[in-house]
Amino acid sequence: MLFDPFKSHFLFLILSLSLCVSQTLALNSVPEPDASLTYLWPLPSEFTSGNRTLSVDPDLSLAVAGIGGNSAIVRAAFDRYRAIIFKHTSGISIFSRFTGRSSVYDISKLKIIVNSDNEELQLGVDESYTLFVSKNDGKSITGEATIEANTVYGALRGLETFSQLCSFDYGTKSVQVYKAPWYIRDKPRFAFRGLLLDTSRHYFPIDVIKQIIESMSYAKLNVFHWHIIDEEAFPLEVPAYPKLWKGSYTKWERYTVEDAYEIVNFAKVRGINVMAEIDVPGHAESWGTGYPNLWPSTSCREPLDVTKNFTFDVISGILTDMRKIFPFELFHLGGDEVNTDCWSTTPHVKQWLQDRNMTAKDAYKYFVLKAQEIAISKNWTPVNWEETFNTFAENLNPRTVVHNWLGAGVCPKAVAKGFKCIFSNQGFWYLDHLDVPWNEVYTAEPLEGINDSSKQELVLGGEVCMWGETADTSDVQQTIWPRAAAAAERMWSRRDAISTGNITLTALPRLQYFRCLLNRRGVQAAPVTNKYARRPPTGAGSCYEQ
């Protein structure tokens, strides 16, 4: 058969046309974003927008001002976010080079003003910022894109918002800002917006922990609660008691002191505090692998032995070493799920209790209060799970932060007695509960049942908890996201702004959009409306429709 160039060309056109039609149909099957919604997550406190589209120069430059503007934290963050924003483009397009044409961009500079050079990161640090994005017309004194903040950490939050305003347009192969000009004034609702990661039930490599911390910054979470140790494993190096990490699963599943430093510093430059936890006196069986004397007996391996000074010497040694690593003012001492039955049947403990006319419940209180004293002596504010409050509230140190988890009603009781509280109701904010849908995570309210404004101020915020029994490196991010983002907006945004209307219409499309943003940034966030969290899609379809 002879080759017919005309027929070949005609066939190519037909195939091309068919492909275009199928692509158009596929595109048309996905609804356009609702223009009435603001696709920023979490929703800013106050904002106005317009109807213009602005182009952003791929050679976007940084200008700094204010006494803190030249911070290394700010400059490093700008470089990180510029890499995110211009993932698809850098410099002049290859086609522009061929044609010799150059583009004129509306935004070619981002100005960051930081009014303080204090880079201390503690609870309640000022994270507020203003963000202005407009066209470079040579007239505005504000500039093209300007972030102003009182601290570098406010500047970080402003950078995240700016990055979410920037979208890559595949038609023009340029980054654009829609609905400009933007004016945003923003600040968090709560000072404490946490995520717990349990590294005892499964070990997470350092790089995975960093990925989780990085993803937290995208949702403006600001406390990484590192539940390092539990009854199953003791993976952390403690120089004062070097045999403790014999309680790790294997010699490859451990964290050195240097690893811990690295995590703390990695988190700090993203505006995230690290709150460490050792859970005593229960949840501590792994301690005795290296030091068996910490066990009351071989058949009573937890709670830790309350009778021995050695037990409290080890706790003091751990906290002394940890104080050199973790600068955050809060330290979590656990205190939950303490079953004291075997104390009462272990001969030397039983005798110790009788000599002091104490019950096992009294000994539980004695242990918790002594651990609190040690933490306070090292200039830490102790955090304890709610059982300590439920059992002996009147004896707790007044500085104690009560961490709710068992259910509703604890924070109202705690703040009524003058204690600070962190909300983590397991019915909504335990991420290992895979059957809790996004909307129940989203509507859980840390201030529920607290109407007095002076008492509301005692609620530091909340925390979603990623317990590790069924999560490891293979599935942890899918389990955390996107439900953690639902809680993140609850903790950042104004309650009245996100609690009105039908959240299926006002929040769900925005959360789906944010989930896809996480995916684009390499975060393995699962589909939003899964019946069970972390399950993959059930079939073909757009990210925005899963």
Side-chain angles (χ1 to χ4, degrees):
M1 179 184 289
L2 293 175
F3 174 74
D4 187 335
F6 176 78
K7 285 183 179 179
S8 178
H9 182 64
F10 181 76
L11 184 60
F12 174 78
L13 288 174
I14 292 295
L15 289 171
S16 298
L17 182 60
S18 299
L19 182 61
C20 288
V21 170
S22 64
Q23 288 177 334
T24 301
L25 289 172
L27 287 171
N28 289 341
S29 69
V30 180
E32 287 293 313
D34 184 343
S36 69
L37 298 178
T38 301
Y39 289 89
L40 294 173
W41 198 280
L43 196 69
S45 303
E46 303 172 45
F47 58 91
T48 60
S49 60
N51 56 13
R52 301 191 64 177
T53 298
L54 307 181
S55 59
V56 185
D57 192 339
D59 289 326
L60 184 72
S61 62
L62 172 66
V64 297
I67 59 174
N70 204 31
S71 162
I73 292 176
V74 170
R75 291 188 175 275
F78 175 77
D79 289 341
R80 287 197 309 275
Y81 278 107
R82 184 164 60 179
I84 289 171
I85 293 167
F86 300 106
K87 187 182 295 287
H88 294 288
T89 180
S90 60
I92 300 171
S93 153
I94 187 171
F95 293 105
S96 298
R97 290 195 187 110
F98 290 154
T99 60
R101 291 180 299 184
S102 60
S103 302
V104 176
Y105 297 96
D106 299 311
I107 300 170
S108 58
K109 179 174 62 179
L110 175 61
K111 185 174 185 179
I112 299 180
I113 305 163
V114 181
N115 297 320
S116 169
D117 60 357
N118 184 354
E119 295 181 356
E120 182 182 9
L121 181 61
Q122 283 292 359
L123 185 67
V125 69
D126 190 341
E127 297 173 271
S128 66
Y129 67 91
T130 60
L131 170 62
F132 185 76
V133 184
S134 65
K135 183 180 173 73
N136 179 12
D137 57 9
K139 299 176 184 178
S140 172
I141 60 172
T142 311
E144 305 157 13
T146 302
I147 295 170
E148 183 170 6
N150 292 324
T151 69
V152 294
Y153 305 110
L156 295 182
R157 308 303 175 226
L159 272 165
E160 174 57 41
T161 302
F162 177 72
S163 74
Q164 292 189 25
L165 290 176
C166 294
S167 300
F168 181 72
D169 182 274
Y170 284 85
T172 61
K173 295 186 180 178
S174 65
V175 172
Q176 299 184 341
V177 174
Y178 300 104
K179 298 175 70 173
W182 284 92
Y183 179 69
I184 297 172
R185 290 183 50 154
D186 201 9
K187 63 180 181 179
R189 181 182 173 207
F190 290 108
F192 186 109
R193 306 179 307 281
L195 167 72
L196 176 148
L197 182 69
D198 169 13
T199 59
S200 174
R201 274 55 179 255
H202 280 99
Y203 174 85
F204 292 92
I206 295 298
D207 285 348
V208 174
I209 295 176
K210 287 181 177 180
Q211 290 163 13
I212 292 169
I213 291 171
E214 187 86 67
S215 66
M216 288 173 62
S217 70
Y218 301 153
K220 298 187 173 75
L221 294 174
N222 72 342
V223 178
F224 176 68
H225 177 176
W226 192 2
H227 188 89
I228 311 176
I229 299 152
D230 211 292
E231 62 191 53
E232 290 85 357
F234 195 118
L236 182 69
E237 178 185 19
V238 178
Y241 291 92
K243 295 180 184 178
L244 280 170
W245 69 353
K246 283 188 174 183
S248 62
Y249 288 118
T250 65
K251 63 182 180 181
W252 303 285
E253 295 170 292
R254 291 175 172 176
Y255 304 107
T256 65
V257 168
E258 291 77 14
D259 291 335
Y261 269 119
E262 190 174 342
I263 287 169
V264 169
N265 292 329
F266 183 89
K268 179 183 179 180
V269 299
R270 287 155 180 81
I272 296 172
N273 280 297
V274 179
M275 178 174 71
E277 178 180 1
I278 61 168
D279 196 345
V280 293
H283 290 280
E285 180 180 340
S286 61
W287 298 34
T289 306
Y291 295 96
N293 284 342
L294 292 169
W295 292 332
S297 71
T298 55
S299 60
C300 177
R301 298 189 173 194
E302 62 182 20
L304 295 171
D305 195 326
V306 66
T307 72
K308 294 174 182 171
N309 290 333
F310 179 63
T311 301
F312 297 100
D313 290 343
V314 171
I315 291 173
S316 181
I318 292 171
L319 294 187
T320 297
D321 284 346
M322 285 182 137
R323 200 60 177 114
K324 299 168 187 172
I325 303 169
F326 299 102
F328 191 39
E329 66 194 69
L330 301 182
F331 190 91
H332 209 301
L333 290 168
D336 62 313
E337 298 181 320
V338 179
N339 183 344
T340 59
D341 288 351
C342 75
W343 274 355
S344 302
T345 57
T346 302
H348 77 275
V349 180
K350 183 178 180 180
Q351 186 63 50
W352 185 88
L353 293 172
Q354 290 175 350
D355 290 346
R356 288 158 180 77
N357 196 27
M358 291 170 67
T359 64
K361 182 179 175 182
D362 294 332
Y364 166 44
K365 176 178 68 177
Y366 167 83
F367 198 116
V368 168
L369 297 183
K370 197 167 179 67
Q372 284 195 337
E373 288 175 11
I374 295 169
I376 291 168
S377 73
K378 301 182 191 311
N379 201 29
W380 260 319
T381 296
V383 184
N384 282 100
W385 294 108
E386 68 173 73
E387 285 95 325
T388 59
F389 172 80
N390 297 338
T391 310
F392 44 87
E394 64 281 359
N395 301 111
L396 288 173
N397 188 286
R399 293 171 58 182
T400 304
V401 177
V402 177
H403 194 166
N404 152 251
W405 74 276
L406 282 170
V410 174
C411 281
K413 292 175 184 175
V415 300
K417 291 184 178 294
F419 292 104
K420 293 184 171 69
C421 192
I422 296 168
F423 175 89
S424 288
N425 186 332
Q426 65 170 339
F428 307 112
W429 283 8
Y430 267 32
L431 298 172
D432 56 312
H433 293 193
L434 303 180
D435 59 345
V436 179
W438 77 271
N439 55 297
E440 292 184 13
V441 178
Y442 190 76
T443 55
E445 174 50 54
L447 296 184
E448 185 176 17
I450 307 172
N451 300 316
D452 184 329
S453 59
S454 65
K455 300 302 182 186
Q456 289 179 344
E457 291 176 1
L458 294 175
V459 179
L460 298 181
E463 176 180 286
V464 288
C465 299
M466 184 63 262
W467 296 105
E469 284 87 349
T470 65
D472 66 4
T473 295
S474 69
D475 60 4
V476 66
Q477 288 283 53
Q478 296 96 314
T479 316
I480 291 172
W481 305 107
R483 291 184 304 159
E489 181 159 279
R490 176 63 46 184
M491 291 186 277
W492 177 278
S493 305
R494 290 188 358 252
R495 183 178 183 179
D496 59 337
I498 62 172
S499 298
T500 56
N502 183 341
I503 62 169
T504 303
L505 301 176
T506 60
L508 178 57
R510 297 173 43 251
L511 182 56
Q512 288 174 321
Y513 187 90
F514 183 71
R515 178 254 171 166
C516 296
L517 178 144
L518 291 174
N519 286 175
R520 292 197 302 273
R521 294 185 181 185
V523 180
Q524 299 92 343
V528 176
T529 53
N530 277 349
K531 182 176 175 63
Y532 293 103
R534 79 183 178 207
R535 287 179 62 176
T538 56
S542 164
C543 173
Y544 300 91
E545 284 210 307
Q546 296 293 340

